[in-house]
Amino acid sequence: MPVVLAGARGHGAWHLANLRRLSAAGLVRLAGVCDTTPFGPGELPGFPEPAQGTDLGELTARTGAGIAIVCTPLHTHTDLALAALAQGAHVLLEKPPAPSYAAYERLVAGVEASGRACQIGFQSLGSHALTAVRELVADGAVGAVRGIGAAGNWVREEHYFNRAAWSGRRRMGGTDVVDGVLTNPLAHAVATALALDGSEHAEDVGEIELELFRANAIEADDTSALRLRTARGTVVTVTATLCAERDTEPYVIVHGDRGRVTFWYKQDRVLLQRAGRGPEEHRYGRTDLLENLVAHLRHGEELLVPPRATGAFMKVVEAVRTAPDPAPLPEGVWRTEPGERSARRVVTGVDGMVAAGAETLALFSELGAPWAAPTRVGPR
């Protein structure tokens, strides 16, 4: 299956490594690379010299690619995916699928009109642990679900926000970007929590509450809390920061009235704790989303993350997009520390608050953060 990759630098390097693996297995071949900066001889080791270009539609047509991988700035996702679809390619589109709900609807309409397949790159939704946790909950292993909490304590240095013109922006030149902690770096925490509840579609999300803050000199949020209620009545809370004191693995907790399940989604690791029994920990495999897309095209396997399965997540993106701009945190509550490549800003005590949010399903303002005030966004 010939593949073109749009955006081969930055996170695109992960896709190049995956393409090498799948090429060695005989599933795909890299037919073209679309990037604003061309690759020179020897810069793509492990591949025969692929075609190159800066116009994805033209490159897709020229190479006859069956699949286009779109790993480009957030605000370009929709247009590039539609350009590849228009040339007959199927698409693996990095998350978030679009920077606004209107753009997402345009994407969904374009995919369905094209008759082509589109997979959204939420890799955590390919984890076999997701199915295992759902089955545990459905079987009553932790009793009635009281709510789902997710936590993400990540460290990001100042160079992270300066790596590209769109980094840390809410909008750029009148175009939505929405590069905040909930919508991009820790978007998997949001999407995984929704998926564990079986609430992936747009109609599955009710009222949304947000608290958006920033310690860094950016437009978007880097320290935020989200709480929503799904159509089935589950409260889902996500607390996340890029200004952590210590970088830790993000996780999602399903709280039951007789136990809990914790899922570290990057590690495919699950811990089951329930009344009257010892803790049980398991690790699971994962299905690669490009591999799944190829299997869908060749053998009719079900797509793991089609666009409509990200509708609930896109309701969150829209709530963040239309919310008031994130409140800057006063200097007294954060400090600057040296990092490996550049300085970083650390919000004092935020690690404990993020963990407490996932534990108690509370927002920062309810946890006593003196800098936090709620911004409620109504039903979307």
Side-chain angles (χ1 to χ4, degrees):
M1 179 77 67
V3 176
V4 293
L5 171 61
R9 303 179 189 278
H11 183 61
W14 182 92
H15 285 286
L16 284 173
N18 197 40
L19 284 164
R20 286 190 190 94
R21 180 181 70 86
L22 296 181
S23 294
L27 292 178
V28 301
R29 63 179 177 85
L30 182 62
V33 172
C34 181
D35 207 287
T36 53
T37 304
F39 285 79
E43 283 194 277
L44 292 168
F47 298 107
E49 292 297 325
Q52 295 195 57
T54 58
D55 183 320
L56 180 59
E58 184 278 331
L59 184 63
T60 302
R62 173 157 46 104
T63 58
I67 294 174
I69 300 173
V70 177
C71 182
T72 57
L74 317 186
H75 56 292
T76 67
H77 283 185
T78 302
D79 288 342
L80 289 178
L82 291 174
L85 290 166
Q87 297 302 324
H90 307 276
V91 174
L92 172 60
L93 176 60
E94 264 298 342
K95 57 79 186 166
S100 71
Y101 197 78
Y104 164 74
E105 287 185 312
R106 188 160 60 91
L107 171 69
V108 170
V111 170
E112 293 178 352
S114 73
R116 300 293 170 175
C118 180
Q119 179 102 283
I120 308 301
F122 280 108
Q123 289 290 341
S124 65
L125 303 188
S127 176
H128 304 166
L130 195 69
T131 301
V133 174
R134 283 172 167 170
E135 290 176 350
L136 282 170
V137 172
D139 291 343
V142 295
V145 174
R146 297 190 297 105
I148 297 174
N153 276 314
W154 275 6
V155 169
R156 290 296 180 268
E157 298 175 10
E158 289 179 357
H159 76 269
Y160 172 84
F161 301 106
N162 299 321
R163 71 193 190 282
W166 57 271
S167 300
R169 301 289 294 271
R170 277 173 68 78
R171 56 192 63 85
M172 190 168 64
T175 300
D176 292 312
V177 178
V178 202
D179 182 32
V181 62
L182 296 173
T183 54
N184 190 22
L186 281 157
H188 281 88
V190 178
T192 304
L194 289 166
L196 285 175
D197 189 57
S199 297
E200 298 104 326
H201 297 89
E203 60 271 21
D204 296 332
V205 174
E207 186 180 68
I208 295 173
E209 297 171 87
L210 291 168
E211 294 181 355
L212 307 177
F213 305 97
R214 59 176 179 84
N216 285 276
I218 58 176
E219 289 180 355
D221 54 304
D222 58 33
T223 301
S224 296
L226 155 75
R227 184 166 58 205
L228 59 83
R229 186 177 294 274
T230 68
R232 60 196 297 167
T234 307
V235 173
V236 175
T237 301
V238 182
T239 42
T241 186
L242 302 179
C243 305
E245 295 169 307
R246 187 170 61 91
D247 201 80
T248 57
E249 287 293 335
Y251 57 89
V252 181
I253 307 173
V254 180
H255 296 278
D257 62 4
R258 291 191 289 107
R260 59 196 278 164
V261 184
T262 306
F263 175 27
W264 289 269
Y265 59 79
K266 290 187 67 180
Q267 300 176 325
D268 304 309
R269 181 164 64 97
V270 172
L271 176 65
L272 171 63
Q273 298 165 289
R274 47 186 166 172
R277 302 180 66 166
E280 301 172 34
E281 184 170 325
H282 301 278
R283 286 184 181 267
Y284 294 87
R286 175 179 293 212
T287 298
D288 175 73
L289 296 184
L290 179 56
E291 230 170 320
N292 173 244
L293 176 56
V294 172
H296 171 75
L297 300 177
R298 287 184 169 174
H299 310 299
E301 288 190 16
E302 185 176 355
L303 278 182
L304 288 172
V305 198
R308 285 196 180 274
T310 63
F313 171 78
M314 283 306 307
K315 286 292 185 179
V316 173
V317 172
E318 184 70 0
V320 173
R321 184 186 76 86
T322 58
D325 287 345
L329 295 180
E331 292 187 16
V333 304
W334 58 266
R335 63 187 185 273
T336 301
E337 292 190 356
E340 293 184 2
R341 289 181 52 186
S342 59
R344 66 187 184 96
R345 296 186 181 186
V346 179
V347 176
T348 302
V350 74
D351 293 33
M353 286 190 177
V354 165
E359 187 68 38
T360 64
L361 307 178
L363 304 177
F364 288 134
S365 62
E366 298 164 341
L367 294 167
W371 38 264
T375 301
R376 176 162 294 203
V377 180
R380 295 283 170 180

